[in-house]
Amino acid sequence: MKILAFETSCDDTSASIVQDGRGVLSLCVSSQINEHTLYGGVVPEIASRRHCESIKKVCEETFKKSYIDIKNIDAVAVTYAPGLVGSLLVGLNFAKGICLSKRLPLIPVHHLRGHVASLYISNKNLSPPFLCMIVSGGHTHIVNVKDYTEMEVLAKTRDDAAGETFDKVARCLGLPYPGGIYIDKISPKGNPYAYKSIPRPEIEGSKYDFSFSGIKTFVINTINNSKNRGQEINIEDMAASVRFAIVDYMVSRFIMIAKESGYKKLAICGGVSANTLFRDTMNKECQKLGFEFFMPKLEFCGDNAAMIGSQGYYEYIKENTSSLDINAFSNKDISLK
Ligand code: KG4
Ligand code: ZN
């Protein structure tokens, strides 16, 4: 089965053709990063306009790359939630138009389920059940992936997401957007133990949930205190210390939940799963404990339509298709289809 897929939930316009959930026949991603960098973050109005301008070209490009004709497409999958509504609507309406004109079924896909599916296109031998940490710019979830379309959230952030924290800290340090990548890049030049008191809070009422907002506050206060003393902080030391603290906080909690839930098969996904220290630390910890560990190939960590085409296949098998009046949603629980 060949699925044409679209992803436009944030600032990447992407189209892909995926065969039977696992084979990526083509993938095109048009990034808007250069423009949003000027403003230090994604500007929703600009994002939707750029999606409108790029989506047709990206779609044509993905057909060209795959040498597949639209006649051979069996269904269209598209991200419909969560994300920036104006951005989601561009992909959703474009997908609806194709479904209407070509009489194809429409498969709405949850963005975070798509991130989980990035693991299936990267690891052909991975299948549920497993425990998965989804870490992106907007979400930090630890999810029990019981089956391809059955998921339960075991832990999540109470405030900022890990990716958002990386980006906000990077902005305070004068690094470009998206900051997570730049923090990761310069961290090896710094001392990860230079700032030992970066908070890793316990949450009242839940020993599993996260809170990241204190990290950004810590960095702002440290920079201001140094300025008041007429000193400058060492950017590489701060980047390395923040990266170490975030990774240590995430990995220790993930391993604790794995031990307590009895899962021995662990995976990470989402934009932050590209972080080199996160990948290395998870790998080492899982090896030490005899756990199986899976991560997406680097090209599938960030937002892309191939992961949507993969998840679309599993949603289709479960008959999770939709009529053409479906709307886009800025928020939606991953456990709901
Ligand atoms: O999944 P994603 O592409 O988009 C969302 O669904 O949000 O994730 C984007 C996030 C950004 O916050 C970005 O800074 C972060 O992923 N990111 C990284 C790295 N590469 C991307 N964070 C830390 N280290 C990286 N190497
Ligand atoms: Zn994402």
XYZ file of all heavy atoms in Angstrom, residues 22 113 116-117 119-120 123-132 143-151 263 265-267 292 294 310-311 314 318:
297
model
N 6.697 1.139 6.224
C 8.123 1.028 6.576
C 9.080 1.535 5.500
O 10.223 1.858 5.788
C 8.467 -0.440 6.872
C 7.669 -1.055 8.006
C 8.361 -0.873 9.333
N 7.558 -1.384 10.424
C 8.009 -1.563 11.653
N 9.252 -1.310 11.959
N 7.212 -1.999 12.611
N 2.172 10.742 17.365
C 2.153 9.348 16.899
C 3.078 9.221 15.693
O 3.719 8.192 15.489
C 0.740 8.915 16.522
C -0.167 8.731 17.712
C -1.477 8.118 17.245
N -2.399 7.922 18.349
C -3.404 7.062 18.323
N -3.632 6.336 17.247
N -4.202 6.943 19.356
N 6.558 8.807 16.858
C 6.787 7.403 17.275
C 7.066 6.551 16.031
O 7.974 5.717 16.019
C 5.580 6.848 18.069
C 5.758 5.368 18.365
C 5.372 7.631 19.367
N 6.306 6.810 14.951
C 6.481 6.015 13.726
C 7.817 6.288 13.035
O 8.270 5.466 12.229
C 5.330 6.278 12.763
N 10.400 5.868 14.312
C 11.203 4.718 14.783
C 11.007 3.505 13.878
O 11.922 2.702 13.698
C 10.808 4.365 16.222
C 11.244 5.395 17.271
C 10.347 5.348 18.492
C 12.695 5.153 17.665
N 9.807 3.343 13.311
C 9.534 2.168 12.454
C 10.262 2.283 11.111
O 10.703 1.274 10.576
C 8.025 2.003 12.210
C 7.193 1.945 13.469
C 5.968 2.602 13.549
C 7.639 1.237 14.588
C 5.203 2.567 14.717
C 6.881 1.208 15.762
C 5.668 1.882 15.803
O 4.928 1.853 16.961
N 14.026 1.646 12.080
C 14.377 0.337 12.667
C 13.352 -0.688 12.194
O 12.277 -0.819 12.788
C 14.340 0.404 14.201
C 15.228 1.488 14.759
O 16.418 1.298 14.920
N 14.646 2.643 15.037
N 13.684 -1.397 11.137
C 12.705 -2.283 10.505
C 12.233 -3.412 11.432
O 11.165 -3.986 11.242
C 13.280 -2.893 9.216
C 13.745 -1.857 8.200
C 12.566 -1.200 7.471
C 12.992 -0.208 6.459
N 12.899 1.116 6.396
N 13.044 -3.734 12.459
C 12.671 -4.849 13.342
C 11.943 -4.393 14.611
O 11.659 -5.216 15.485
C 13.921 -5.660 13.726
C 14.966 -4.778 14.404
O 14.901 -3.557 14.261
N 15.885 -5.377 15.132
N 11.651 -3.093 14.733
C 10.959 -2.614 15.947
C 9.452 -2.713 15.779
O 8.894 -2.247 14.785
C 11.340 -1.160 16.254
C 10.550 -0.502 17.391
C 10.896 -1.132 18.750
C 10.789 1.008 17.449
N 8.804 -3.311 16.773
C 7.335 -3.290 16.804
C 6.883 -3.152 18.255
O 7.639 -3.500 19.167
C 6.776 -4.563 16.173
O 7.319 -5.679 16.825
N 5.691 -2.607 18.489
C 5.188 -2.474 19.863
C 4.978 -3.852 20.498
O 4.842 -4.833 19.744
C 3.855 -1.740 19.681
C 3.856 -1.200 18.286
C 4.738 -2.097 17.491
N 4.950 -3.967 21.802
C 4.976 -2.867 22.766
C 6.399 -2.415 23.119
O 7.316 -3.209 23.102
C 4.312 -3.500 23.998
C 4.634 -4.950 23.916
C 4.715 -5.276 22.451
N 6.516 -1.122 23.446
C 7.761 -0.566 23.980
C 7.456 0.746 24.706
O 6.335 1.258 24.609
C 8.809 -0.361 22.871
C 8.370 0.523 21.742
C 8.617 1.892 21.755
C 7.708 -0.018 20.636
C 8.220 2.696 20.690
C 7.306 0.791 19.572
C 7.559 2.152 19.607
N 8.452 1.211 25.444
C 8.298 2.461 26.178
C 9.029 3.548 25.401
O 10.187 3.339 25.015
C 8.941 2.280 27.561
C 8.404 3.113 28.707
C 6.931 2.856 28.927
C 9.172 2.782 29.990
N 8.363 4.659 25.149
C 8.947 5.653 24.249
C 8.963 7.044 24.877
O 7.960 7.486 25.435
C 8.127 5.682 22.955
S 8.834 6.742 21.708
N 5.723 7.606 26.966
C 4.494 6.963 26.508
C 4.660 5.449 26.475
O 5.685 4.933 26.022
C 4.151 7.478 25.071
C 2.942 6.763 24.503
C 3.893 8.973 25.096
N 3.637 4.768 26.953
C 3.571 3.322 26.829
C 2.938 3.025 25.463
O 1.755 3.250 25.257
C 2.698 2.793 27.988
C 2.541 1.294 27.971
O 3.014 0.636 27.042
N 1.877 0.759 28.978
N 3.781 2.578 24.515
C 3.262 2.268 23.168
C 2.812 0.800 23.204
O 3.604 -0.114 23.012
C 4.332 2.507 22.077
C 3.765 2.247 20.688
C 4.893 3.918 22.164
N 1.523 0.607 23.504
C 1.006 -0.761 23.667
C 0.860 -1.430 22.315
O 1.042 -2.632 22.178
C -0.356 -0.725 24.359
C -0.297 -0.120 25.752
C -1.711 0.004 26.303
C -1.711 0.683 27.651
N -3.051 0.996 28.113
N 0.435 -0.646 21.346
C 0.293 -1.141 19.972
C 0.478 0.065 19.044
O 0.602 1.190 19.516
C -1.099 -1.775 19.801
C -1.085 -2.802 18.665
O -0.136 -2.782 17.860
O -2.031 -3.603 18.586
N 0.454 -0.171 17.723
C 0.708 0.919 16.776
C -0.248 2.102 16.966
O 0.111 3.233 16.709
C 0.606 0.395 15.343
C 1.737 -0.528 14.964
C 1.559 -1.910 14.941
C 2.989 -0.025 14.629
C 2.601 -2.767 14.599
C 4.035 -0.866 14.291
C 3.838 -2.239 14.270
O 4.871 -3.060 13.931
N -1.464 1.812 17.392
C -2.442 2.902 17.536
C -3.024 2.967 18.960
O -4.078 3.563 19.172
C -3.601 2.724 16.529
O -4.202 1.453 16.760
C -3.112 2.800 15.101
N -2.317 2.362 19.897
C -2.802 2.379 21.282
C -1.688 2.844 22.203
O -0.681 2.139 22.369
C -3.248 0.965 21.674
C -4.297 0.972 22.760
C -4.594 -0.446 23.229
O -4.639 -1.359 22.373
O -4.738 -0.625 24.438
N -1.841 4.051 22.742
C -0.776 4.640 23.551
C -1.315 5.264 24.829
O -2.421 5.776 24.857
C -0.044 5.718 22.748
C 0.596 5.116 21.521
S 1.247 6.302 20.391
C 1.089 5.368 18.877
N 9.307 -2.610 31.575
C 9.667 -2.603 30.152
C 11.175 -2.728 29.975
O 11.945 -2.069 30.659
C 9.195 -1.304 29.485
C 7.821 -1.426 28.875
C 6.723 -0.810 29.442
C 7.637 -2.177 27.720
C 5.454 -0.923 28.878
C 6.372 -2.303 27.144
C 5.299 -1.673 27.730
O 4.067 -1.786 27.163
N 12.315 -2.647 26.638
C 12.479 -2.182 25.261
C 12.158 -0.691 25.252
O 11.002 -0.305 25.457
C 11.500 -2.951 24.376
C 11.822 -2.960 22.926
C 11.170 -4.191 22.296
C 10.223 -3.865 21.221
N 9.483 -5.004 20.694
N 13.184 0.137 25.033
C 13.034 1.585 25.163
C 13.358 2.281 23.839
O 14.184 1.791 23.069
C 13.995 2.110 26.239
C 13.477 2.169 27.680
C 12.937 0.844 28.135
C 14.577 2.639 28.620
N 12.729 3.446 23.633
C 12.995 4.201 22.411
C 12.853 5.692 22.687
O 12.151 6.091 23.617
C 12.015 3.785 21.316
N 16.846 -3.291 25.408
C 16.945 -2.981 23.984
C 16.691 -1.486 23.817
O 15.822 -0.928 24.501
C 15.842 -3.716 23.218
C 16.191 -5.125 22.790
C 15.064 -5.657 21.914
O 14.010 -5.998 22.482
O 15.229 -5.697 20.688
N 16.176 1.829 20.934
C 15.945 2.237 19.549
C 15.859 3.767 19.454
O 15.321 4.409 20.351
C 14.629 1.653 19.020
C 14.619 0.150 19.007
C 14.230 -0.564 20.147
C 15.014 -0.555 17.876
C 14.230 -1.958 20.144
C 15.012 -1.941 17.871
C 14.626 -2.643 18.999
N 4.122 6.689 7.580
C 4.293 5.419 8.285
C 3.142 5.195 9.277
O 2.464 4.164 9.257
C 5.641 5.418 9.026
O 5.721 4.300 9.877
N 2.898 6.205 10.117
C 1.809 6.062 11.097
C 0.458 5.958 10.378
O -0.432 5.217 10.817
C 1.815 7.246 12.083
C 0.771 7.147 13.191
C 0.948 5.912 14.075
O 2.038 5.355 14.200
N -0.142 5.441 14.678
N -0.558 2.433 9.695
C -1.097 1.679 10.842
C -2.485 2.183 11.247
O -3.332 1.409 11.698
C -0.101 1.712 12.016
C 1.183 1.004 11.627
C 2.335 1.711 11.313
C 1.211 -0.382 11.490
C 3.489 1.066 10.890
C 2.358 -1.041 11.073
C 3.488 -0.312 10.773
O 4.617 -0.959 10.339
N -6.304 0.085 11.076
C -7.307 0.112 12.154
C -8.569 0.864 11.734
O -9.400 1.216 12.583
C -6.707 0.781 13.400
C -5.676 -0.059 14.105
C -6.329 -1.095 14.991
C -5.281 -2.050 15.549
N -5.835 -3.162 16.264
